Amino acid sequence: MTSKKVIELFYDVVSPYSWLGFEVMCRYRTVWNIELKLRPTFLGGVMQGSGNKPPGLVPNKFLYMTKDLNRLSEYFNVPMRSPSDPFEAMFQKGSLNAMRFVTAVQEKGKGGDEQVERVSRELWRRIWYEDKDITEPASLSEAGIKAGLSDSEIKELLELSNSKEIKNKLKSSTQNALDYGAFGFPLVVCHLNGKPEMFFGSDRFEVMAHCIGEKWLGPLPDKPAAKL
């Protein structure tokens, strides 16, 4: 059997398109011959570092995105709806605290990225389905509890998320994404023969499959297992 291809997924829970890419890559982790590495990253830092402008700040893009997410939610089987005040959720509150929390989960996690996956998903659910906050400690605690973390673990993670160590780790991940050429999320980096191949967005899976020598079976390769 050939060795697994390493694929990095850079994402931020403030990005709804990242949620789509996240779920698809998690579903294909056992379908394709890949080793998926989750890379929680701060999208705000990537946008600033690349000089890009968020689609939400362009009126026509924002209107399109709102309609597009409804279609994509059904197509990808991801429960998604816009917050009551998307501008406040995405740009005024942002996701810095949330992504530091996820980074802390990854730092302390055991057994790979299982906890990171569960916590990230719960945070996406809060902002992009339940219209809830993801910035306050109580909000992060609720997401952690739903993801199966204990009260003591959550307390430790909240403290760790404010440490210099975690802040620097998130900055490093953000810089890594920029070094690959990131300008938005989701960003998937496939390592092929020692060379990184970058794919942006949640609509490049067919091309990605072709490049890594795998087959694209649609957003639900295993329907019973893929339902959230």
Side-chain angles (χ1 to χ4, degrees):
M1 183 177 178
T2 58
S3 60
K4 291 186 175 181
K5 304 175 185 72
V6 174
I7 293 182
E8 297 180 90
L9 172 63
F10 292 85
Y11 68 90
D12 187 320
V13 297
V14 80
S15 162
Y17 292 98
S18 286
W19 191 7
L20 303 174
F22 174 90
E23 295 297 351
V24 169
M25 293 310 303
C26 287
R27 293 166 186 172
Y28 272 85
R29 184 166 41 198
T30 57
V31 177
W32 290 345
N33 184 36
I34 63 173
E35 179 184 354
L36 180 63
K37 293 182 177 294
L38 300 179
R39 298 286 188 247
T41 311
F42 182 47
L43 179 57
V46 166
M47 300 299 282
Q48 183 178 12
S50 64
N52 195 7
K53 179 182 287 190
L57 297 182
V58 180
N60 282 354
K61 283 186 178 180
F62 183 77
L63 289 173
Y64 175 79
M65 185 179 77
T66 303
K67 296 177 181 178
D68 191 40
L69 289 177
N70 291 331
R71 296 185 298 228
L72 293 174
S73 174
E74 181 178 355
Y75 177 70
F76 285 100
N77 190 32
V78 176
M80 183 182 292
R81 55 191 174 208
S82 294
S84 56
D85 189 339
F87 188 86
E88 177 190 43
M90 290 189 286
F91 305 118
Q92 292 181 352
K93 289 187 173 182
S95 60
L96 184 57
N97 290 345
M99 296 317 295
R100 284 175 178 169
F101 184 71
V102 176
T103 302
V105 171
Q106 188 169 59
E107 181 71 14
K108 296 292 292 185
K110 300 175 182 178
D113 284 336
E114 183 179 342
Q115 289 183 334
V116 177
E117 179 181 340
R118 294 201 308 267
V119 171
S120 297
R121 183 175 289 117
E122 290 302 332
L123 288 168
W124 264 307
R125 279 183 179 275
R126 288 185 67 84
I127 183 173
W128 285 105
Y129 184 63
E130 299 172 349
D131 193 13
K132 293 181 178 178
D133 173 74
I134 61 166
T135 64
E136 298 296 331
S139 304
L140 300 175
S141 296
E142 286 184 23
I145 290 171
K146 287 189 175 181
L149 301 177
S150 68
D151 290 339
S152 60
E153 286 177 317
I154 292 171
K155 182 180 179 181
E156 181 182 6
L157 289 168
L158 287 173
E159 293 176 356
L160 182 61
S161 66
N162 288 316
S163 70
K164 186 175 181 180
E165 174 190 5
I166 292 303
K167 291 178 181 179
N168 286 339
K169 185 174 181 179
L170 183 60
K171 287 180 181 178
S172 177
S173 180
T174 302
Q175 187 58 53
N176 287 342
L178 287 168
D179 290 343
Y180 280 128
F183 51 87
F185 286 162
L187 178 76
V188 179
V189 179
C190 303
H191 295 270
L192 305 172
N193 301 317
K195 179 184 177 183
E197 291 285 346
M198 184 186 83
F199 298 88
F200 165 73
S202 56
D203 58 354
R204 292 293 184 269
F205 299 115
E206 291 181 76
V207 178
M208 186 191 308
H210 172 76
C211 289
I212 66 175
E214 298 286 351
K215 187 176 181 180
W216 171 245
L217 304 173
L220 302 169
D222 183 357
K223 291 186 178 181
K227 288 183 178 179
L228 297 179

